[in-house]
Amino acid sequence: MSDIFEHTPQVWNAAQLREALKDLPDDAPIHMGVAEDPGDFDGYREGVLVDAHQVEYWWPATSTTPERTEMEKAITLFADWKPDRYDRLD
């Protein structure tokens, strides 16, 4: 049986992000480091912010209820690999 631990990172809110960005010029790129393992930023993968979308939940129609969506007061930030030359994967 494997060891299990509860990973409880402090998730930033919009105010914390605004504060971190306040002194950056408008054209500054946003880099993101994604932990390779929970809480391990020693071997993080670097990416760049490429998009953001409001969190949307969607439920399909059933025989008794219509299709519906709900928008959460949250966003998902999307990161891609940083600009560079990479081997093409076939």
Side-chain angles (χ1 to χ4, degrees):
M1 186 155 120
S2 64
D3 290 334
I4 296 175
F5 72 97
E6 186 171 339
H7 180 58
T8 56
Q10 187 226 338
V11 178
W12 274 32
N13 60 37
Q16 289 168 299
L17 183 57
R18 277 189 207 95
E19 178 64 22
L21 297 174
K22 73 178 181 176
D23 295 325
L24 288 177
D26 288 344
D27 61 348
I30 306 297
H31 291 251
M32 299 174 70
V34 179
E36 288 292 325
D37 291 306
D40 178 11
F41 290 97
D42 290 335
Y44 71 88
R45 172 176 282 165
E46 185 178 359
V48 292
L49 182 63
V50 295
D51 205 354
H53 292 275
Q54 189 172 8
V55 175
E56 179 179 299
Y57 297 106
W58 174 80
W59 293 270
T62 67
S63 61
T64 58
T65 60
E67 175 183 308
R68 67 186 177 105
T69 60
E70 290 181 12
M71 303 302 279
E72 185 175 336
K73 290 184 179 179
I75 61 170
T76 298
L77 301 176
F78 292 91
D80 197 352
W81 289 31
K82 64 182 183 174
D84 203 348
R85 293 173 53 98
Y86 297 99
D87 291 333
R88 184 178 306 277
L89 300 176
D90 294 327

